[in-house]
Amino acid sequence: MKMRASKILMSLPAAIALASAPQAGAEETASGTTGVIEEVVVVGRLKSSATDVVVERLDQEVVVDLLSAEDISRVGDSTVAAALRRVPGLTLVDNQFVYVRGLGERYSSTLLDGATVPSPDFMRNVIPLDIFPTNILDSLAVQKGYSADMPAAFGGGNIDIRTRNIPDGPIFDIEVGSGWNFESGSNTFTSSGGDDDWFGADDGGRALPAEISGAIQQYRGDVSTPNILNTLRFDGPATLTEATAINRQLATSLDATTGIREADVDADISLETTLGNRFYLGDQEQWEVGGMAILAYDNTFRNRERVNRGLIDPDERFFRTSRTVHQVSVTGALKAGVSWNGEQNVDVSYLFLRNTEEDTNVGSGFNANFLQSDGQRLGAYGTRYEQRDLGVFMLDGSHELGSATLDFLDFIPADLSALEGLRFEWYYSDSTAETEVPNETSFLTQSIVDPVSGAIQSTRLRNTNSAGIFRFTELEDEVQSYGTDVILPIFLDDWDLEFAGGWDYARKGREFLLTQVFLDASQTPLAALEADISGIADNAVTRPAIANPANAFEISVNSGLPDSYLAGQITEGVYGKFDATWQGTWRFSAGVRYEEFRQASLAIDNLQFDPVIGQAIIPPTGLQDSTLLTDDYYPSAALTWIQQNFMGADDFQLRFGFSQTVARPDLREISAAVYIDPLTESRIVGTPGLDPSDISNYDARAEWFWGNGDSFTVSLFYKDIENPIETVQAAGTDDNQVLTFINADTGEVYGIEFEFLKGLGFMADYVGGWADGLFVSGNLTLSDSEIQIGENALSLTNDSRRLTQHSEWVLNTHLGYDSPDGLHSASVVYNVYGERIFSAGRFGAEDSFEQPIHLVDLVYSFYPTDRVTFQLKVQNLLDDEREIEQDSVDFGAVTIFEQLIGTTASASLKWSF
């Protein structure tokens, strides 16, 4: 409640961290005042940003953690994903997805300014948070306690990404930056690419050739030589030679020459500008009109060298891949708004995000079929370009029956004073996410090596029916969401009351299409497949080589598996709740949400042209296993005890919360379609008939806040999960790993979180006055989890274990310094998590564990004037790397996967005009 927030603000004067100093040359009068207006100088920049969100957090009815844009900027995080790992109990997976309190990404939901938006990630229904740059942020709110005004799909928590507001006055900022990752100096590769790659867009050169797409239609989804021959014979006599020539001509339309080569890469580049203003109109400045525009560009190169090792004989069976990833991000945001007396507000905004990633990789190694002792080596090289776009249009309004509005409505005979403070809020959002992966290429080679020295003697492309694979992937995800809220505050002598109710509707449609083209070299003479000794076989698959009839190259497009799908989802909910505070001491809130959920997901074969069979693939058990229809009530309740001057703290709160929520399977998880994970090359198979997971949530939190900005928080949580959804291994081979999804029987997560902020000014007596600017903050989470798989064990080694990706402890610390003159600030930030299960072992093999990564970042900022900021950052100072270990009976703990991260140094300069 607003009245409550103002009281807390008054009790935290030091959190503002302001110091007043008279202007130079001003003389003090006899009364002790100066003859000029005092200049207010902002100091304590870091500590101030750490305490900016205290008021809002205390004012929440449930457990919420917040990060301000200023706090994020000070520690140098460039994406929302990186910033969220600073929040208690949160861990970052694949630099994209946040796990809240040990629960996977399926158990967290993401909103953008309170609205549901689509995901451009075709592997998941949740949004990859690395696509959101921090320059668009006002704050991040992580709600860990459920309230009935939130969507019921709430497990570990809900993340609300709040974009920047229209400024109160004129603003014009320009920021430029550059950097370098120290792993980019060796084994760096590039490919031929496209002319527009630097602008974050494919120039069309990677698109599926028109000749092949036309042939798919003409030959009804099968461009193999036998089918071409059968089709030609419908129109008259035809020969196998004619059909082979047509297939070969189609093959030459593919750009099989990737142009992979070693090359130097450029330094990182970042550019950002913000322009905005607010105008006050009318005789009494009753009207406010404002707008803001943000443009940003970011261009980086990273080496991501990785090593995969076999659990059996890891020294002899391993594969080393050199990967260079080129990322380009483009952000554009527009926002405009109008306000009348601060009571009638309407805003309109549009946000566009583009994130492209070009992955060039060259690898080699040994497995059970290619052993160095036998003089054999396996090689692979390829390219992958992924372009992800997200466009969000939003219109929202807030209308309050305040004093100005009541005066305007004075002509109405009814007395409306009893409704003063009544608010009506609404929003409408229309957003589209599109992802394209055009011409993802993959080639396999084999080499003859010296069994003793390992020196390469010759290399050739493998003569298999899939010597080259070309994948063309498209995803389009559209979401419309809108809703309303009505809030009525009532203030009595001892009671502050608030009643609220609302309605939300979200509709999502998704189309995922994958076309695979296979280059068949099984009949090609081995001499025609001989390649460069480096293992990059571009000289074997040039267009002239493919066009040569003597080489017998052919193509096909039928993988034999359903690898595309169509899906839709509708969520409609209505809620009611109340919030009551008695004498500023006891606060009780409760509510209930009723939500209907409808979802359907069907695998399709877009190469199936038989009208009787149809493209949609119906599961053997029928359509009901590909649909999910549920409706239920989801209650929530919270009790807070509020005290001032308790246990030495200026403000103290003790919270208790209970709620019931749900975690539903993703669109892809109930489809029988088969997907390829681009990072691990594992096949992912959906499981029709998955049930949603019902969750009971219990929370308790005690919070101490002192007037000097210090704080301490301790939280307890427990979650009981029925039918938890887990990712497990299915039947496959060492070279063809298959993952699928099951409902386990039960699961639970419980733990304790500590969070603190402490100024170190007390050290000034020992080390000098400069210590007044020192402070330390951090958080520690200790937790455990258990899941009982039950009858769906699929030969898993451990039927009872921790949840995958759950860490038993997470630690974040931040040592900050603000110079007394306000010219300098510095931070040392440390983040680490305990080992977590990466994948569950099968047939007696132990579970694999991702090992802790110790990340230390240094950030220094210099403010020579109030309009200029210079910042230096060093990230991953310890040069730690990602590792996954698995225990082996014969070899002990085996590092089955390791990937370099590298240390990055960067600098930026910002002007504010």
Side-chain angles (χ1 to χ4, degrees), residues 295-310:
L295 291 174
Y297 172 84
D298 193 68
N299 191 319
T300 64
F301 286 89
R302 294 290 182 269
N303 269 11
R304 291 290 183 257
E305 183 173 329
R306 68 186 180 198
V307 179
N308 298 79
R309 295 184 179 87

Side-chain angles (χ1 to χ4, degrees), residues 427 482-486 501-506 571-575 593:
Y427 75 93
Y482 38 89
T484 60
D485 297 279
V486 178
W503 166 80
D504 291 284
Y505 177 89
T571 307
E572 187 170 8
V574 61
Y575 78 92
R593 184 181 187 89

Side-chain angles (χ1 to χ4, degrees), residues 218-219 225-247:
Q218 181 178 357
Y219 301 111
T225 297
N227 189 64
I228 292 175
L229 179 60
N230 291 335
T231 304
L232 293 176
R233 284 174 174 172
F234 280 113
D235 298 325
T239 66
L240 180 61
T241 301
E242 293 174 321
T244 302
I246 292 174
N247 180 281

Side-chain angles (χ1 to χ4, degrees), residues 28-45:
E28 190 173 355
T29 66
S31 61
T33 62
T34 62
V36 295
I37 299 175
E38 289 185 332
E39 177 186 3
V40 178
V41 181
V42 178
V43 296
R45 298 173 184 269

Side-chain angles (χ1 to χ4, degrees), residues 726-748:
E726 279 282 281
T727 303
V728 298
Q729 287 187 353
T733 65
D734 290 340
D735 298 325
N736 187 18
Q737 186 183 60
V738 179
L739 301 178
T740 190
F741 312 95
I742 63 169
N743 279 119
D745 285 348
T746 60
E748 61 178 356

Side-chain angles (χ1 to χ4, degrees), residues 598-610:
R598 288 160 281 177
Q599 177 174 282
S601 182
L602 276 179
I604 61 172
D605 184 355
N606 56 332
L607 300 178
Q608 176 57 257
F609 283 77
D610 190 321

Side-chain angles (χ1 to χ4, degrees), residues 165-247:
N165 295 315
I166 298 171
D168 293 331
I171 180 175
F172 179 33
D173 296 338
I174 296 178
E175 183 174 349
V176 296
S178 184
W180 181 260
N181 183 276
F182 292 98
E183 291 296 335
S184 300
S186 60
N187 295 326
T188 303
F189 292 88
T190 186
S191 62
S192 53
D195 294 336
D196 297 335
D197 288 358
W198 282 88
F199 300 100
D202 177 51
D203 60 5
R206 299 181 177 92
L208 179 67
E211 296 89 338
I212 294 181
S213 60
I216 289 174
Q217 298 294 321
Q218 181 178 357
Y219 301 111
R220 301 170 64 81
D222 185 357
V223 299
S224 65
T225 297
N227 189 64
I228 292 175
L229 179 60
N230 291 335
T231 304
L232 293 176
R233 284 174 174 172
F234 280 113
D235 298 325
T239 66
L240 180 61
T241 301
E242 293 174 321
T244 302
I246 292 174
N247 180 281

